[in-house]
Amino acid sequence: MQNDEAIWHDIRYIHCCYMAKIETGIFCRNPYNVTGICSRSSCPLANSRYATIRDHDGVFYLYMKTIERAHTPKHLWERIKLPRNYEKALELIDKHLLYWPEMLQHMVKQRLTKLNQMRIRMRILALKTREKIMSMPSLILIQSRQRKSTLIQSNSLLEYANHGS
């Protein structure tokens, strides 16, 4: 039996490895979290009934977790492939989350919208041709500077020796 309140109390007040406390707030790094905020309603660990959307190589999937599958962690999340068409994906979410809480449905749709906009921006950026910025390791830069300075010193010594004789 899974008690959501007891799990949330332990996660929130004892220890959660996904929690990130920074100046602006408390965030959650769990990949299944819909909002990214550490709260009771948006925690995938402390909710026995939860849904989210994830991206796998440009394909969006609707992940649903129900209490009936809690005894088998391997099959805990049911994965449903969403179509690339935004409107059809929204209809599929409405169909599968028909009797789920309204707030969770709304958060999942917001996440789909955000991921869809991100996909569009990535496609536009990929079409633009930009020059690549290559970074050089700092050790190589330091060594090249030292070589140049020793070459300059040796050249000046050679010139002095040639002019002296």
Side-chain angles (χ1 to χ4, degrees):
M1 175 99 189
Q2 186 174 357
N3 188 350
D4 292 345
E5 286 300 322
I7 293 171
W8 172 247
H9 183 270
D10 288 348
I11 288 172
R12 181 70 174 98
Y13 299 107
I14 297 174
H15 177 72
C16 178
C17 62
Y18 295 110
M19 188 185 301
K21 291 182 182 179
I22 57 175
E23 295 171 1
T24 54
I26 302 173
F27 296 100
C28 180
R29 286 187 240 125
N30 192 315
Y32 289 98
N33 194 320
V34 176
T35 61
I37 297 169
C38 184
S39 68
R40 169 70 179 90
S41 60
S42 65
C43 181
L45 302 174
N47 285 303
S48 56
R49 193 171 193 202
Y50 198 75
T52 188
I53 293 183
R54 292 193 62 196
D55 178 20
H56 292 288
D57 299 325
V59 180
F60 296 150
Y61 290 95
L62 173 66
Y63 281 83
M64 297 185 304
K65 171 184 168 183
T66 58
I67 192 70
E68 290 85 19
R69 291 190 294 271
H71 67 284
T72 56
K74 180 181 175 185
H75 305 291
L76 185 64
W77 293 92
E78 180 184 352
R79 185 169 97 160
I80 299 164
K81 185 177 177 180
L82 294 175
R84 289 189 68 86
N85 188 340
Y86 179 71
E87 287 83 18
K88 289 181 182 177
L90 282 176
E91 289 174 9
L92 197 65
I93 289 171
D94 282 335
K95 178 183 155 192
H96 284 284
L97 303 180
L98 183 63
Y99 299 108
W100 289 55
E102 290 290 327
M103 188 199 76
L104 189 61
Q105 289 180 23
H106 181 66
M107 288 192 307
V108 168
K109 289 177 185 176
Q110 277 184 328
R111 184 164 173 86
L112 175 69
T113 305
K114 183 181 85 170
L115 288 174
N116 198 36
Q117 289 171 352
M118 189 174 76
R119 179 196 284 167
I120 293 168
R121 279 196 310 270
M122 286 173 57
R123 195 178 310 135
I124 291 170
L125 286 173
L127 291 174
K128 290 183 181 177
T129 55
R130 296 181 293 169
E131 59 184 57
K132 293 220 175 194
I133 299 172
M134 301 291 288
S135 63
M136 298 240 344
S138 60
L139 181 64
I140 293 174
L141 290 174
I142 292 169
Q143 287 174 347
S144 66
R145 284 190 208 126
Q146 288 174 345
R147 284 189 191 115
K148 286 178 186 175
S149 65
T150 54
L151 281 174
I152 291 170
Q153 288 176 357
S154 64
N155 285 340
S156 64
L157 285 175
L158 284 175
E159 287 177 15
Y160 180 73
N162 290 339
H163 289 292
S165 50

